[in-house]
Amino acid sequence: MHATDPMIEIARFLRRLQWTALAAGVCWLLWLLAPVLTPFVLAAMLGWLGDPLVDRLQRAGRSRNVAVTLVFALMSLVLLLALVLLVPMLERQIGILIESLPRYRDWLVLTAIPWVEMRTGFEISNWLDLAHIIELLRSNWERAGGVASTLLGYMSRSGFALIGMFANIVLLPVLTFFFLRDWDLLVDRVASLIPRDYLGTVRRLASESSDVLGAFLRGQFMVMLVLGVMYGVGLWAIGLDLGILIGVIAGLLTFVPYIGPASGIVLGVIAALVQYGDWRHVVGVLVVFGVGQVIESYWLTPKLVGDRIGLHPVAVIFAVLAGGQLFGFLGMLLALPVAAVANVLLRYAQERYTHSKLYAGEHPSIVLPDQPARVPVENDAE
């Protein structure tokens, strides 16, 4: 070994320490600015999702500004149609739910808990003190109007918070338009700041991350939309008053493995028992979700999403919960994209490790039967 090797190792360690400190500083800054960054992150994601369509229109002969205007108009139209169709429907469903709350309370007290007590032997009603809980819920429900008026008065007095909320709503379409228009320029500027020795590796990882994220997010959105419509229409067809609301909830939660269908089944079964009190409609709920899961598993997810993201369901659930705990709504919004990129980086780190001297040992000529052949890494600058 050369005499300068220890110095090279120290310099390499210091470089890595600097990058670690920079990453920690960025995370701390994100934590501080999470409420402000939410519209920017949403707009950036919408701009990134719409950029391939803009590029395709450009290749067809249209200018960048015309392509951006067409894509932005299409995205705005889709959002407007969703609001016009979905909001009144959900409003009616929530009204039905509020009117049905006494029936759900009676079913819980008179049917569900006695049934569980009879089969398990546990005195749940004595343990929970249901009379006190029901009285507490009733009193709080009666005071809901006073709480709402108090909250409204606070929001009207807190002009800064109200202005901030409306500013975020107004900013979102404006920011989305600019991200769509300048996305390629932003990518080129970021690429120009990357050290030349690492440019090939960064390009490779960025391209792989973009492909994984694009396939996952666009596909997952379509899966959520199709399943939400399918569950809502199916539950409405078997006669559930709250079928559309339950279908929308189950569809929105589909991106979290097992949570979406499980929550939909539980809510659907409870709604069927409260509304009809028979097992025929419960079987109908199970059939709706069973058919939906078969279609998702064997057609929707393989066709629209695939397995390119490579995240285990436990990792997805952990990413969503950890993101929400650390950064609130912004963290939940970024959880899956960050997890997907982290998975790409971990695969790259594993590749580097299996081709390193630490893994191969002092006798690299000895190769295990199942060890993959070495893949040269472009622009190795460690």
Side-chain angles (χ1 to χ4, degrees):
M1 294 183 66
H2 299 291
T4 57
D5 281 351
M7 298 301 298
I8 294 176
E9 293 296 329
I10 292 174
R12 183 182 301 172
F13 171 76
L14 290 177
R15 279 201 309 271
R16 291 174 177 173
L17 190 61
Q18 288 173 347
W19 284 111
T20 303
L22 179 62
V26 169
C27 290
W28 177 72
L29 192 61
L30 283 175
W31 180 72
L32 288 178
L33 299 177
V36 179
L37 289 176
T38 300
F40 290 88
V41 172
L42 272 173
M45 292 181 65
L46 291 173
W48 170 70
L49 289 172
D51 181 68
L53 184 55
V54 173
D55 293 339
R56 188 176 301 177
L57 291 175
Q58 276 190 281
R59 289 193 294 268
R62 293 177 174 85
S63 67
R64 180 77 183 183
N65 287 335
V66 172
V68 167
T69 302
L70 290 174
V71 172
F72 182 78
L74 177 62
M75 295 170 68
S76 302
L77 181 62
V78 170
L79 179 61
L80 183 61
L81 286 176
L83 291 176
V84 169
L85 296 176
L86 201 59
V87 170
M89 195 180 303
L90 291 180
E91 185 181 4
R92 289 194 296 270
Q93 291 280 285
I94 292 173
I96 295 173
L97 174 62
I98 293 174
E99 293 175 359
S100 304
L101 282 178
R103 281 195 298 164
Y104 282 87
R105 178 200 62 191
D106 295 339
W107 175 81
L108 177 66
V109 175
L110 302 177
T111 304
I113 291 180
W115 185 85
V116 173
E117 288 180 339
M118 183 175 64
R119 281 160 177 75
T120 62
F122 293 115
E123 296 294 333
I124 300 177
S125 56
N126 295 334
W127 179 56
L128 290 178
D129 194 4
L130 288 175
H132 174 70
I133 294 176
I134 292 171
E135 179 60 27
L136 187 63
L137 289 173
R138 187 185 65 81
S139 61
N140 286 333
W141 187 262
E142 291 174 351
R143 289 162 45 198
V147 172
S149 61
T150 303
L151 181 61
L152 184 61
Y154 171 77
M155 289 182 64
S156 62
R157 292 191 301 270
S158 180
F160 182 77
L162 198 61
I163 290 173
M165 181 181 67
F166 282 111
N168 287 340
I169 295 174
V170 173
L171 271 177
L172 184 59
V174 176
L175 293 172
T176 301
F177 179 83
F178 283 114
F179 274 116
L180 271 174
R181 191 191 68 178
D182 300 330
W183 187 260
D184 291 343
L185 180 62
L186 291 172
V187 171
D188 291 339
R189 287 185 177 177
V190 171
S192 68
L193 298 176
I194 297 171
R196 300 297 93 180
D197 288 342
Y198 297 94
L199 184 59
T201 301
V202 171
R203 276 180 174 169
R204 167 194 163 187
L205 295 176
S207 176
E208 187 176 346
S209 299
S210 180
D211 291 343
V212 168
L213 282 177
F216 177 74
L217 292 181
R218 295 184 186 96
Q220 189 63 51
F221 176 77
M222 292 302 299
V223 170
M224 291 166 59
L225 180 63
V226 172
L227 286 180
V229 172
M230 188 184 306
Y231 290 149
V233 171
L235 295 177
W236 173 79
I238 67 174
L240 291 190
D241 292 337
L242 299 175
I244 295 176
L245 181 62
I246 295 172
V248 169
I249 293 173
L252 290 176
L253 293 177
T254 299
F255 74 96
V256 184
Y258 308 117
I259 300 297
S263 61
I265 290 173
V266 171
L267 294 175
V269 167
I270 292 176
L273 290 175
V274 172
Q275 185 174 343
Y276 294 101
D278 58 30
W279 292 104
R280 182 166 62 92
H281 288 85
V282 171
V283 172
V285 171
L286 298 178
V287 169
V288 168
F289 281 96
V291 171
Q293 284 303 291
V294 170
I295 293 175
E296 179 195 6
S297 300
Y298 291 97
W299 187 73
L300 285 178
T301 298
K303 284 283 187 181
L304 298 177
V305 180
D307 57 357
R308 298 187 64 186
I309 191 171
L311 285 178
H312 192 276
V314 175
V316 174
I317 296 173
F318 174 78
V320 173
L321 294 178
Q325 177 67 29
L326 292 174
F327 301 106
F329 178 73
L330 177 66
M332 297 181 68
L333 191 66
L334 291 174
L336 289 183
V338 170
V341 173
N343 198 43
V344 172
L345 297 178
L346 286 174
R347 286 202 298 265
Y348 173 73
Q350 181 184 13
E351 175 188 312
R352 291 293 301 270
Y353 168 67
T354 54
H355 301 139
S356 67
K357 185 180 294 186
L358 177 64
Y359 179 80
E362 297 299 328
H363 304 285
S365 59
I366 302 177
V367 180
L368 297 178
D370 58 347
Q371 183 177 344
R374 178 177 175 84
V375 178
V377 178
E378 185 181 4
N379 289 317
D380 247 346
E382 282 294 317

